[in-house]
Amino acid sequence: MALIPEIAVRTVRRESPARAPLAVDICVVGSGAAGTSAALEAAALGKRVAIVDAAPSPGGQAVSSLIGTFCGLYGNGPDPIRVTYGVAGAMLAALKAKGVAHARPARNTRIVLYDEQALARWVEDSLLDADVLPLFGAVLRGAEVANGRVAALDLASRWGDLRIEAEGFVDATGDGALCWLAGAELQQPETPIWGSVMFTLEGVDGAKAGAIPRPVIHDALRARGRDHGLCREDGFVFPVPGRDIALVNMTHIETPLDPVGGSRAVLSGRAQVDRLVGFLKAEFPDAFAGASVRSYGLPGIRQTRWIRGRHRITVDEVLSGTRPADAIARCSWPIELHYAADAVHWQEFGDDHMHYVPFGAMTPAALGNVVAAGRCIDGDPAALSSVRVMGPCIAMGAAAAHALDLAGAGSVHQLDIAALQDRVRDNLQGVERDTW
């Protein structure tokens, strides 16, 4: 009989919580589409970068909430141009090579269905290859501000407390958490903007599910959804080509910012998913009789709290396609305002429409070395609903990285905007048409 290996053991005792700070050039808080883009772009510029997320692994809602579709990467029309470049190109190429990205027309534009696990691995490998310092499972607890600049962040993790010092910071938290803790003014809606719990079903007859017209599902939700305890009266089912699974987005949940409310949203949202599965089985048994939940997403949060920047994107600017002088990204995704439990306001655009994200909407007025990227930039609720999707979020992340690089020890409020726009010019004028 082989001897059991002997493991040496030593006695330890908790040390003083005070630790030497971790010093980097740029600290990105949030690892979703915007944060990952910012971190990779900054690392490519030769910066020492840390990326922080309270979740135990990166990817943000694109992975954990099972969003499952890239929106806002393309323009409008039957053969749309791609409007977002930078890391988006490498990401799409990697997923296409694995056969886990599928394009389809929707809302007079093109969306891309993707496998969330493949995307997770791409994000993880890309951050590792770029030598970005990962700090996952790290909760932001405080920010030290001096002379209008964030000097350091205090974090808590299961491994102990940590302090990060940096020259520049990106708030890609989605809720403006970094700016909130730094004492900046933020905005939030007086009434809820509803989120969703998305999920994937397996055991679906994809051909039959795909053949059900969306208005037929919506009519059934309006007529009998309440009988199943459902509130939302629209949504979608996207069967994944070549597989027996489908992505479903038909729930509405409130997404409060308090700890108990946020936790309750996880539980109530998943209970709503179960009721929705019962509805699909009862109403469309040919497609869903054998279906079961393969995976539940964490709550998909659309809008909760956002910065007060130097420019507020208005819905009129979105509708008119106004191009501000400091534009750094473009988008043609519809207005998608989840303003009520049972309803969503959709406003699609024509083939030639394009609207823009100004850099001023990303810069909190009171902080000189922080750039927001993603769904917590400044805009009225309807305007934000058209620029918070992943395409423009990736473009915002790129602009944030280049802005902090250009600003250095100076202020992002005094940038040479022309120099920034030159660095992100593909996101303003690229016209590639991807082959699918």
Side-chain angles (χ1 to χ4, degrees):
M1 180 180 296
L3 293 176
I4 298 174
E6 185 175 334
I7 303 296
V9 176
R10 61 189 175 94
T11 299
V12 296
R13 179 177 292 174
R14 180 173 178 265
E15 299 175 359
S16 167
R19 294 188 179 184
L22 174 66
V24 296
D25 298 316
I26 293 176
C27 176
V28 179
V29 186
S31 67
T36 294
S37 174
L40 293 177
E41 292 277 0
L45 291 168
K47 298 295 183 181
R48 178 174 165 85
V49 182
I51 189 165
V52 176
D53 203 299
S57 56
Q61 293 195 149
V63 172
S64 65
S65 297
L66 306 186
I67 291 175
T69 54
F70 295 121
C71 300
L73 287 173
Y74 292 91
N76 295 130
D79 186 24
I81 62 170
R82 179 150 57 90
V83 298
T84 305
Y85 295 82
V87 303
M91 177 187 71
L92 287 175
L95 297 178
K96 287 167 71 174
K98 290 185 175 182
V100 293
H102 308 277
R104 60 175 292 165
R107 304 287 179 184
N108 196 36
T109 183
R110 175 185 290 157
I111 63 173
V112 179
L113 277 67
Y114 65 88
D115 180 274
E116 74 280 355
Q117 292 304 313
L119 176 63
R121 291 296 302 121
W122 178 84
V123 170
E124 291 161 359
D125 286 342
S126 297
L127 293 173
L128 194 62
D129 291 345
D131 201 25
V132 173
L133 300 178
L135 291 165
F136 304 126
V139 178
L140 184 60
R141 297 185 61 190
E144 179 185 325
V145 180
N147 300 318
R149 297 174 68 86
V150 174
L153 300 179
D154 291 318
L155 308 168
S157 81
R158 63 176 295 185
W159 311 114
D161 294 340
L162 180 68
R163 185 175 176 84
I164 298 181
E165 296 176 348
E167 189 171 65
F169 295 85
V170 179
D171 188 338
T173 62
D175 305 310
L178 190 162
C179 294
W180 176 260
L181 289 174
E185 289 187 338
L186 277 80
Q187 306 168 85
Q188 62 187 57
E190 293 284 354
T191 57
I193 296 174
W194 295 75
S196 294
V197 171
M198 285 153 277
F199 61 101
T200 53
L201 285 175
E202 60 186 357
V204 175
D205 187 318
K208 291 179 179 178
I212 304 171
R214 192 175 299 175
V216 171
I217 298 178
H218 296 174
D219 288 344
L221 282 168
R222 283 189 287 271
R224 292 173 293 281
R226 294 291 191 279
D227 297 339
H228 292 267
L230 304 176
C231 59
R232 185 173 171 182
E233 296 179 351
D234 80 333
F236 62 77
V237 177
F238 282 148
V240 176
R243 303 181 66 181
D244 70 342
I245 65 174
L247 172 69
V248 185
N249 182 348
M250 285 186 185
T251 67
H252 262 172
I253 58 167
E254 292 191 58
T255 52
L257 289 166
D258 69 280
V260 173
S263 299
R264 183 175 285 120
V266 178
L267 308 182
S268 62
R270 292 184 176 185
Q272 192 177 150
V273 166
D274 293 341
R275 296 194 294 271
L276 179 55
V277 174
F279 164 84
L280 292 172
K281 286 175 175 285
E283 297 292 325
F284 307 102
D286 288 350
F288 299 106
S292 59
V293 177
R294 175 175 180 248
S295 52
Y296 298 82
L298 291 177
I301 302 172
R302 292 186 172 92
Q303 293 170 237
T304 52
R305 186 173 60 200
W306 54 93
I307 70 165
R308 185 177 296 278
R310 292 183 298 114
H311 182 123
R312 189 183 199 205
I313 308 172
T314 67
V315 69
D316 289 340
E317 291 173 336
V318 170
L319 294 172
S320 65
T322 301
R323 178 168 174 162
D326 62 343
I328 51 80
R330 58 192 166 152
C331 181
S332 59
W333 187 249
I335 291 174
E336 182 195 346
L337 188 59
H338 293 249
Y339 69 99
D342 61 345
V344 183
H345 177 84
W346 286 95
Q347 191 155 344
E348 298 176 20
F349 299 115
D351 293 358
D352 297 327
H353 179 86
M354 202 72 70
H355 51 276
Y356 297 85
V357 176
F359 183 63
M362 300 170 58
T363 49
L367 300 170
N369 66 333
V370 176
V371 181
R375 59 184 172 85
C376 60
I377 67 169
D378 195 354
D380 66 39
L384 283 178
S385 77
S386 68
V387 300
R388 58 169 173 72
V389 290
M390 278 192 266
C393 285
I394 291 171
M396 286 185 244
H402 285 284
L404 291 171
D405 180 50
L406 287 168
S411 172
V412 295
H413 302 305
Q414 298 172 343
L415 281 187
D416 180 342
I417 293 297
L420 176 59
Q421 289 173 324
D422 183 60
R423 290 194 180 195
V424 298
R425 57 186 175 275
D426 285 348
N427 287 334
L428 289 170
Q429 62 190 42
V431 293
E432 289 185 12
R433 282 183 163 83
D434 293 340
T435 300
W436 286 91

